[in-house]
Amino acid sequence: MAADFPLRAETRRGYNLRQIEGYRTEEASHMSGICGTAALDGRPIENGEIRRMVRALEGRGPDATNLWQNGSVAFGHTLLATTPEALGERLPLTHNETGCTITADVRLDNRDQLLDSLGLRLEHRAIGDAELLLYSYLTWGQDCPNYLLGDFAFAIWDQRKEQLFCARDHIGMRQLVYSHEPGRNFFFATEPTAIIENPRACRLVNEERLVDFFIGNGAVDLTSTFYHNVYRLPPAHSLVLTRAGLHVQRYWRLERKFELFLESDEAYVEKFLEVFEEAISCRLRGGPLVGAMLSGGIDSGAVVAVASRIRGKNGDGPLQTFSAVGDNPGECNETSNIMLSSQRKGVRSHFIHKSDLCQKRGRFVKRAESLSEPFDGSMTLLRAVYQKANDAGMKVVLDGAAGDLAFDPGNYLTDLIKKGKGSLAFREAVGQAKFWGASSLTTKLMARSLWHASMPASLKKARKRLLAKSRAQKSRNKSLIDPNLARRGNFELRLELLQDNIEIEGLLEFAARAKALTHPHLVLGRECYDRLAAGSAIEPRDPYADRRLLEFCMSLPADQLERDGWPKFLLRRAMKGLVSQDVAWGRGKAHLGWEFTEEFMSVCDFPYEDPRELIARLEGYIDVEHAKECLMGSGGAFNLEKQIYFRYLAAWLDTYKH
């Protein structure tokens, strides 16, 4: 079968790739940028169109830039290579016999299974992940995403059918956006900035997404971008473009296929570690260029512990970790926990302090001023950690961002009450209150759970309608949004959609957990991590976003996810002997993110430091008189957090304008 699939790489421009040493030749992965355009009216693509698009992605893939063009269709690809196979796989890639061409940002975790299924095991050459993906399409057609495990976004031009097929991975680790003008143009890219670089694309701001920014939460939907007529392809979706039109469809949905009943807590730990270690092992591909983000919590602590143990068993060098820390560990629980986790054998730690922002202010200001989205503005800590990893020579950084959602128990207290287990629900409420250090929380938790367990759906809907107006008014006043922008951008509707996404009460037990595990918050967070990491030429990988691990968590009884008020109960028990007990059983949460952002603003020459200049720049976007009170302290309390928040919006608007 393999002999029937000769492939070639068609390129118009290329750069020499940097040499990378120390890898096993059977491994391959890379994070890259992809883009493309199709002229639906049949006109030839002008060379400058795809060049401008791909140029916007070269920071994401600094190792090579390649173009492919065939009449009215053109692809671009920028490469971040992390293995010798990635160095040898030049994309876009064309299959000689069928003329099918692929551009992809992909890491496949089930390579062995695919090689066997496709009859490629005996090939005496390295097969890259994108090539393997193209073989999958040639064998299974539009069903191919169902056969893939890993992180991916790709586009395939099928010359035989004159159609474009695109897909995004199950969880949304890789980005894919598109713009469609029926009968005229179609564009796709890793980021919207690449699409609007095409002179034929629309550059208008999407005012509904601006409203989301003022609301303070981007988890309103899975499709919006800050540009009019530019959409995100949702996770677990594919699209097919033909001259007849565009069709988007879901190919996978997280569901509970069965409930896992094991004989003991220890058996659950053993089974979890089997799944968890596999998820981490897949993400260690890349040898010495793979590091890990380490915070003071159990999520990243568990990843580092297991990853360093796997590397030790394989005879690899220490796992390099990267952490943002406070100046005095004795006064910062987050920092003291990081120091405990950093003492683990097989770990080489790197720390970044707030003072480092001043030493490298120029670099940080440049990154902050060139935001892809204003939502990314206050993520100073993440930018600093990724830059530290880049300085240390890393190209991949593991994290644990999806840990909170992976172990979400859904409506646990409400479900217990519905099952007649009120005393157990009360015990759990007491435990939750103790975990968060707020004894008064017990009453609130029980009252809310009793309400949702006993009230009919019709009454809940009526209450929701009554509260919607007052909630919208309070949110508008707090947001400082200009009333005209609020009206044009459908403020009340966007807020209502956000509330619908947040609300899981009333859903059946497993439906609530599935919604929590695939919540738009997770997608938004992963997209943010992706953009910030790309700014430092880093590929982020999250073992908790592994499809197999999420499906495993869906199968667990709720008391394995939470017990006696302890969230992530199974994970904490599984880390016995691997993670410090102070880290594994630490209560509450701490984070240094805001401290880093404050420090950045105080030491770096970031635009719009003068509130009056900031307000003038945002006229038409904010309620000017209300903003003067809030941002300048005239007649009201000075709000530093909002001022910083809006400085990033102003910086993004300047970037968009130019």
Side-chain angles (χ1 to χ4, degrees):
M1 180 177 181
D4 295 331
F5 293 99
L7 294 154
R8 68 179 185 274
E10 295 189 359
T11 61
R12 293 292 181 86
R13 179 165 64 125
Y15 301 112
N16 290 330
L17 307 182
R18 294 182 291 191
Q19 295 300 312
I20 301 178
E21 299 177 353
Y23 301 94
R24 297 187 178 97
T25 57
E26 70 270 15
E27 298 176 336
S29 83
H30 53 272
M31 174 188 177
S32 306
I34 64 173
C35 60
T37 179
L40 304 182
D41 56 7
R43 63 172 177 81
I45 299 294
E46 296 179 10
N47 204 344
E49 293 182 45
I50 192 65
R51 286 183 180 275
R52 289 182 61 170
M53 293 178 70
V54 80
R55 194 175 298 128
L57 300 172
E58 286 183 339
R60 175 179 283 273
D63 293 331
T65 298
N66 292 301
L67 309 176
W68 169 88
Q69 186 172 342
N70 182 4
S72 59
V73 181
F75 285 174
H77 187 270
T78 63
L79 174 69
L80 176 67
T82 60
T83 70
E85 284 189 350
L87 288 171
E89 183 177 60
R90 300 186 69 185
L91 299 176
L93 192 65
T94 298
H95 174 234
N96 283 336
E97 184 176 328
T98 64
C100 292
T101 300
I102 186 172
T103 187
D105 176 15
V106 54
R107 187 200 75 253
L108 295 178
D109 292 338
N110 59 333
R111 284 177 52 84
D112 288 342
Q113 179 185 354
L114 290 172
L115 288 168
D116 288 337
S117 298
L118 296 168
L120 300 171
R121 176 65 67 183
L122 300 179
E123 282 283 288
H124 298 295
R125 62 181 179 86
I127 298 178
D129 285 7
E131 182 179 347
L132 193 53
L133 201 162
L134 182 53
Y135 284 141
S136 300
Y137 172 79
L138 293 171
T139 302
W140 296 303
Q142 296 174 24
D143 289 333
C144 68
N146 294 307
Y147 294 84
L148 308 177
L149 287 175
D151 305 337
F152 55 82
F154 66 87
I156 296 174
W157 172 247
D158 192 328
Q159 184 65 43
R160 303 165 300 180
K161 302 177 182 179
E162 291 193 328
Q163 73 175 25
L164 182 70
F165 179 69
C166 304
R168 187 178 179 193
D169 65 69
H170 305 75
I171 308 303
M173 289 295 294
R174 303 294 169 90
Q175 297 189 79
L176 191 63
V177 298
Y178 67 92
S179 179
H180 181 217
E181 300 172 15
R184 297 178 59 197
N185 298 299
F186 181 85
F187 312 99
F188 72 86
T190 302
E191 296 189 39
T193 48
I195 289 180
I196 64 169
E197 280 301 311
N198 191 302
R200 296 180 180 272
C202 175
R203 288 180 57 88
L204 294 176
V205 170
N206 177 11
E207 292 189 330
E208 286 193 341
R209 197 59 170 167
L210 277 180
V211 164
D212 298 346
F213 178 80
F214 278 95
I215 289 174
N217 196 320
V220 175
D221 58 44
L222 293 170
T223 57
S224 297
T225 74
F226 279 88
Y227 299 97
H228 176 70
N229 200 36
V230 179
Y231 303 96
R232 294 137 70 207
L233 182 67
H237 281 68
S238 63
L239 69 79
V240 177
L241 175 74
T242 66
R243 295 192 185 278
L246 178 70
H247 179 62
V248 176
Q249 65 180 8
R250 176 187 287 272
Y251 65 80
W252 174 81
R253 189 183 303 273
L254 181 61
E255 298 175 334
R256 187 176 221 194
K257 299 178 181 178
F258 62 92
E259 185 170 5
L260 183 65
F261 291 105
L262 299 177
E263 64 275 10
S264 65
D265 283 348
E266 290 71 25
Y268 282 107
V269 166
E270 183 178 348
K271 184 64 177 176
F272 166 73
L273 284 173
E274 178 184 324
V275 178
F276 192 46
E277 288 179 1
E278 178 64 19
I280 293 176
S281 181
C282 290
R283 286 160 178 79
L284 287 174
R285 293 170 56 199
L289 297 191
V290 179
M293 191 180 297
L294 178 61
S295 70
I298 182 62
D299 297 333
S300 63
V303 171
V304 167
V306 174
S308 59
R309 185 172 70 171
I310 292 172
R311 288 178 63 87
K313 289 180 180 179
N314 293 338
D316 297 328
L319 177 72
Q320 300 196 55
T321 65
F322 303 88
S323 307
V325 296
D327 296 330
N328 190 342
E331 298 177 359
C332 175
N333 184 56
E334 172 83 355
T335 300
S336 61
N337 282 352
I338 288 172
M339 295 304 177
L340 285 172
S341 297
S342 299
Q343 295 170 8
R344 178 181 173 81
K345 182 181 178 181
V347 170
R348 179 185 173 192
S349 302
H350 302 261
F351 304 111
I352 184 165
H353 299 79
K354 292 186 295 185
S355 58
D356 296 333
L357 300 177
C358 183
Q359 298 170 12
K360 300 179 180 179
R361 61 167 63 93
R363 181 186 296 176
F364 285 116
V365 169
K366 183 178 180 181
R367 293 271 163 76
E369 285 182 327
S370 57
L371 298 173
S372 294
E373 289 197 1
F375 281 126
D376 302 345
S378 59
M379 302 297 182
T380 309
L381 185 151
L382 277 177
R383 275 196 297 272
V385 170
Y386 282 130
Q387 187 56 57
K388 188 76 171 181
N390 176 274
D391 291 343
M394 299 294 102
K395 287 195 172 184
V396 175
V397 172
L398 308 182
D399 64 68
D404 285 342
L405 295 178
F407 296 96
D408 193 302
N411 299 322
Y412 188 32
L413 297 184
T414 301
D415 292 333
L416 288 175
I417 292 172
K418 286 182 176 180
K419 294 175 181 178
K421 300 180 180 180
S423 59
L424 179 55
F426 181 76
R427 189 178 77 187
E428 289 295 330
V430 170
Q432 288 183 28
K434 187 177 181 180
F435 177 83
W436 294 109
S439 57
S440 61
L441 188 60
T442 302
T443 302
K444 293 179 181 179
L445 289 172
M446 286 301 296
R448 187 181 68 181
S449 300
L450 284 166
W451 159 266
H452 286 290
S454 59
M455 290 299 105
S458 58
L459 186 57
K460 292 178 185 177
K461 289 181 180 179
R463 180 177 179 271
K464 181 179 178 181
R465 286 194 299 269
L466 288 173
L467 291 176
K469 286 287 183 182
S470 61
R471 183 188 291 123
Q473 188 60 49
K474 289 178 181 178
S475 181
R476 281 180 60 170
N477 292 339
K478 184 179 179 181
S479 72
L480 305 186
I481 191 172
D482 178 87
N484 293 321
L485 174 59
R487 185 181 63 256
R488 296 194 307 270
N490 299 311
F491 189 98
E492 292 187 14
L493 175 60
R494 301 300 286 178
L495 186 63
E496 182 180 343
L497 290 172
L498 176 63
Q499 292 299 323
D500 288 342
N501 282 335
I502 293 173
E503 185 64 60
I504 63 172
E505 297 289 354
L507 295 176
L508 296 175
E509 179 181 358
F510 305 130
R513 284 164 62 177
K515 184 175 181 178
L517 264 62
T518 55
H519 195 285
H521 279 141
L522 172 58
V523 181
L524 187 75
R526 288 307 344 164
E527 290 171 346
C528 178
Y529 274 61
D530 177 86
R531 291 188 296 269
L532 295 173
S536 296
I538 294 291
E539 175 191 343
R541 299 178 184 171
D542 186 351
Y544 297 105
D546 187 283
R547 189 185 100 188
R548 294 161 295 186
L549 187 139
L550 293 179
E551 290 176 336
F552 172 79
C553 288
M554 272 293 292
S555 74
L556 292 171
D559 69 346
Q560 292 295 325
L561 300 172
E562 179 178 313
R563 189 180 300 177
D564 296 329
W566 286 100
K568 308 171 191 175
F569 187 68
L570 175 58
L571 177 64
R572 297 176 194 277
R573 287 186 292 109
M575 290 301 108
K576 184 177 181 179
L578 293 175
V579 172
S580 164
Q581 293 300 287
D582 289 338
V583 175
W585 298 96
R587 295 184 184 276
K589 273 197 170 186
H591 199 273
L592 297 170
W594 177 242
E595 292 184 26
F596 269 71
T597 295
E598 278 190 304
E599 180 73 11
F600 171 73
M601 286 295 180
S602 68
V603 302
C604 297
D605 299 323
F606 194 71
Y608 301 107
E609 184 174 356
D610 186 337
R612 290 167 296 185
E613 182 186 2
L614 175 63
I615 291 172
R617 174 64 184 90
L618 294 178
E619 187 172 358
Y621 298 96
I622 61 176
D623 184 327
V624 172
E625 295 305 317
H626 194 180
K628 286 179 180 178
E629 296 177 5
C630 186
L631 302 182
M632 297 175 62
S634 174
F638 174 75
N639 192 319
L640 176 62
E641 185 173 356
K642 275 200 178 296
Q643 186 183 130
I644 292 175
Y645 185 71
F646 287 129
R647 286 171 72 182
Y648 281 110
L649 175 60
W652 178 81
L653 288 169
D654 287 347
T655 301
Y656 156 76
K657 182 178 179 180
H658 292 98

mmCIF file of all heavy atoms in Angstrom, residues 53-73:
data_model
loop_
_atom_site.group_PDB
_atom_site.id
_atom_site.type_symbol
_atom_site.label_atom_id
_atom_site.label_comp_id
_atom_site.label_asym_id
_atom_site.label_seq_id
_atom_site.Cartn_x
_atom_site.Cartn_y
_atom_site.Cartn_z
ATOM 1 N N MET A 53 0.348 36.562 3.790
ATOM 2 C CA MET A 53 -0.271 35.768 4.835
ATOM 3 C C MET A 53 0.768 34.980 5.620
ATOM 4 O O MET A 53 0.760 34.964 6.856
ATOM 5 C CB MET A 53 -1.307 34.812 4.231
ATOM 6 C CG MET A 53 -2.525 35.500 3.635
ATOM 7 S SD MET A 53 -3.696 34.323 2.891
ATOM 8 C CE MET A 53 -4.341 33.506 4.363
ATOM 9 N N VAL A 54 1.672 34.325 4.903
ATOM 10 C CA VAL A 54 2.640 33.469 5.578
ATOM 11 C C VAL A 54 3.653 34.295 6.363
ATOM 12 O O VAL A 54 4.176 33.858 7.395
ATOM 13 C CB VAL A 54 3.334 32.533 4.560
ATOM 14 C CG1 VAL A 54 4.439 33.252 3.801
ATOM 15 C CG2 VAL A 54 3.883 31.289 5.239
ATOM 16 N N ARG A 55 3.913 35.510 5.902
ATOM 17 C CA ARG A 55 4.864 36.369 6.612
ATOM 18 C C ARG A 55 4.368 36.680 8.023
ATOM 19 O O ARG A 55 5.158 36.830 8.959
ATOM 20 C CB ARG A 55 5.096 37.649 5.827
ATOM 21 C CG ARG A 55 6.308 38.459 6.294
ATOM 22 C CD ARG A 55 6.541 39.653 5.387
ATOM 23 N NE ARG A 55 6.838 39.213 4.026
ATOM 24 C CZ ARG A 55 6.205 39.647 2.942
ATOM 25 N NH1 ARG A 55 5.225 40.529 3.052
ATOM 26 N NH2 ARG A 55 6.547 39.204 1.750
ATOM 27 N N ALA A 56 3.056 36.771 8.189
ATOM 28 C CA ALA A 56 2.489 37.059 9.509
ATOM 29 C C ALA A 56 2.670 35.902 10.486
ATOM 30 O O ALA A 56 2.477 36.073 11.692
ATOM 31 C CB ALA A 56 1.002 37.379 9.374
ATOM 32 N N LEU A 57 3.052 34.728 9.993
ATOM 33 C CA LEU A 57 3.198 33.535 10.836
ATOM 34 C C LEU A 57 4.645 33.115 11.027
ATOM 35 O O LEU A 57 4.909 32.099 11.672
ATOM 36 C CB LEU A 57 2.404 32.372 10.231
ATOM 37 C CG LEU A 57 0.897 32.584 10.078
ATOM 38 C CD1 LEU A 57 0.288 31.435 9.280
ATOM 39 C CD2 LEU A 57 0.219 32.700 11.442
ATOM 40 N N GLU A 58 5.585 33.852 10.480
ATOM 41 C CA GLU A 58 6.976 33.406 10.516
ATOM 42 C C GLU A 58 7.561 33.415 11.923
ATOM 43 O O GLU A 58 8.463 32.637 12.215
ATOM 44 C CB GLU A 58 7.821 34.244 9.557
ATOM 45 C CG GLU A 58 7.558 33.874 8.101
ATOM 46 C CD GLU A 58 8.430 34.637 7.114
ATOM 47 O OE1 GLU A 58 8.943 35.712 7.495
ATOM 48 O OE2 GLU A 58 8.591 34.161 5.988
ATOM 49 N N GLY A 59 7.046 34.271 12.822
ATOM 50 C CA GLY A 59 7.506 34.227 14.196
ATOM 51 C C GLY A 59 7.093 32.945 14.891
ATOM 52 O O GLY A 59 7.780 32.450 15.786
ATOM 53 N N ARG A 60 5.982 32.371 14.456
ATOM 54 C CA ARG A 60 5.483 31.122 15.021
ATOM 55 C C ARG A 60 6.322 29.933 14.556
ATOM 56 O O ARG A 60 6.501 28.966 15.299
ATOM 57 C CB ARG A 60 4.024 30.938 14.591
ATOM 58 C CG ARG A 60 3.380 29.650 14.981
ATOM 59 C CD ARG A 60 1.944 29.627 14.517
ATOM 60 N NE ARG A 60 1.107 30.437 15.380
ATOM 61 C CZ ARG A 60 0.528 29.987 16.483
ATOM 62 N NH1 ARG A 60 0.702 28.734 16.853
ATOM 63 N NH2 ARG A 60 -0.228 30.771 17.217
ATOM 64 N N GLY A 61 6.811 30.001 13.320
ATOM 65 C CA GLY A 61 7.621 28.917 12.776
ATOM 66 C C GLY A 61 8.901 29.468 12.180
ATOM 67 O O GLY A 61 8.972 29.708 10.965
ATOM 68 N N PRO A 62 9.936 29.712 12.991
ATOM 69 C CA PRO A 62 11.134 30.409 12.516
ATOM 70 C C PRO A 62 12.116 29.551 11.741
ATOM 71 O O PRO A 62 13.082 30.080 11.191
ATOM 72 C CB PRO A 62 11.776 30.896 13.824
ATOM 73 C CG PRO A 62 11.374 29.862 14.838
ATOM 74 C CD PRO A 62 9.982 29.438 14.443
ATOM 75 N N ASP A 63 11.894 28.234 11.658
ATOM 76 C CA ASP A 63 12.899 27.361 11.063
ATOM 77 C C ASP A 63 12.800 27.238 9.552
ATOM 78 O O ASP A 63 13.764 26.878 8.891
ATOM 79 C CB ASP A 63 12.804 25.956 11.687
ATOM 80 C CG ASP A 63 13.210 25.963 13.151
ATOM 81 O OD1 ASP A 63 14.034 26.813 13.523
ATOM 82 O OD2 ASP A 63 12.684 25.142 13.912
ATOM 83 N N ALA A 64 11.645 27.476 8.973
ATOM 84 C CA ALA A 64 11.505 27.399 7.513
ATOM 85 C C ALA A 64 10.181 28.011 7.094
ATOM 86 O O ALA A 64 9.199 27.966 7.835
ATOM 87 C CB ALA A 64 11.577 25.950 7.022
ATOM 88 N N THR A 65 10.161 28.567 5.898
ATOM 89 C CA THR A 65 8.933 29.079 5.297
ATOM 90 C C THR A 65 8.829 28.514 3.894
ATOM 91 O O THR A 65 9.779 28.608 3.113
ATOM 92 C CB THR A 65 8.941 30.618 5.227
ATOM 93 O OG1 THR A 65 9.004 31.138 6.552
ATOM 94 C CG2 THR A 65 7.677 31.132 4.550
ATOM 95 N N ASN A 66 7.677 27.920 3.575
ATOM 96 C CA ASN A 66 7.480 27.335 2.254
ATOM 97 C C ASN A 66 6.087 27.665 1.730
ATOM 98 O O ASN A 66 5.132 27.800 2.503
ATOM 99 C CB ASN A 66 7.662 25.807 2.297
ATOM 100 C CG ASN A 66 9.096 25.421 2.580
ATOM 101 O OD1 ASN A 66 10.011 25.774 1.835
ATOM 102 N ND2 ASN A 66 9.308 24.707 3.678
ATOM 103 N N LEU A 67 6.000 27.780 0.413
ATOM 104 C CA LEU A 67 4.746 28.099 -0.255
ATOM 105 C C LEU A 67 4.434 27.046 -1.308
ATOM 106 O O LEU A 67 5.333 26.409 -1.860
ATOM 107 C CB LEU A 67 4.821 29.472 -0.936
ATOM 108 C CG LEU A 67 5.297 30.663 -0.102
ATOM 109 C CD1 LEU A 67 5.393 31.901 -0.978
ATOM 110 C CD2 LEU A 67 4.359 30.900 1.068
ATOM 111 N N TRP A 68 3.146 26.891 -1.580
ATOM 112 C CA TRP A 68 2.674 26.005 -2.658
ATOM 113 C C TRP A 68 1.509 26.693 -3.335
ATOM 114 O O TRP A 68 0.662 27.311 -2.680
ATOM 115 C CB TRP A 68 2.231 24.658 -2.091
ATOM 116 C CG TRP A 68 1.503 23.787 -3.075
ATOM 117 C CD1 TRP A 68 2.044 22.903 -3.954
ATOM 118 C CD2 TRP A 68 0.079 23.716 -3.263
ATOM 119 N NE1 TRP A 68 1.055 22.280 -4.683
ATOM 120 C CE2 TRP A 68 -0.167 22.771 -4.285
ATOM 121 C CE3 TRP A 68 -1.005 24.375 -2.681
ATOM 122 C CZ2 TRP A 68 -1.448 22.452 -4.725
ATOM 123 C CZ3 TRP A 68 -2.283 24.071 -3.117
ATOM 124 C CH2 TRP A 68 -2.495 23.111 -4.131
ATOM 125 N N GLN A 69 1.491 26.603 -4.653
ATOM 126 C CA GLN A 69 0.411 27.248 -5.391
ATOM 127 C C GLN A 69 0.029 26.402 -6.596
ATOM 128 O O GLN A 69 0.886 25.856 -7.304
ATOM 129 C CB GLN A 69 0.842 28.640 -5.850
ATOM 130 C CG GLN A 69 -0.277 29.438 -6.506
ATOM 131 C CD GLN A 69 0.131 30.880 -6.762
ATOM 132 O OE1 GLN A 69 1.096 31.367 -6.171
ATOM 133 N NE2 GLN A 69 -0.583 31.558 -7.638
ATOM 134 N N ASN A 70 -1.266 26.293 -6.807
ATOM 135 C CA ASN A 70 -1.775 25.546 -7.953
ATOM 136 C C ASN A 70 -3.012 26.266 -8.472
ATOM 137 O O ASN A 70 -4.133 26.031 -8.022
ATOM 138 C CB ASN A 70 -2.106 24.102 -7.556
ATOM 139 C CG ASN A 70 -2.582 23.276 -8.729
ATOM 140 O OD1 ASN A 70 -2.609 23.731 -9.873
ATOM 141 N ND2 ASN A 70 -2.970 22.040 -8.447
ATOM 142 N N GLY A 71 -2.804 27.187 -9.397
ATOM 143 C CA GLY A 71 -3.921 27.912 -9.984
ATOM 144 C C GLY A 71 -4.630 28.792 -8.979
ATOM 145 O O GLY A 71 -4.073 29.756 -8.451
ATOM 146 N N SER A 72 -5.860 28.446 -8.654
ATOM 147 C CA SER A 72 -6.683 29.267 -7.777
ATOM 148 C C SER A 72 -6.592 28.864 -6.308
ATOM 149 O O SER A 72 -7.389 29.316 -5.488
ATOM 150 C CB SER A 72 -8.152 29.193 -8.224
ATOM 151 O OG SER A 72 -8.610 27.849 -8.190
ATOM 152 N N VAL A 73 -5.634 28.013 -5.944
ATOM 153 C CA VAL A 73 -5.444 27.581 -4.561
ATOM 154 C C VAL A 73 -3.974 27.758 -4.187
ATOM 155 O O VAL A 73 -3.081 27.455 -4.988
ATOM 156 C CB VAL A 73 -5.845 26.101 -4.359
ATOM 157 C CG1 VAL A 73 -5.664 25.690 -2.903
ATOM 158 C CG2 VAL A 73 -7.286 25.870 -4.797
#
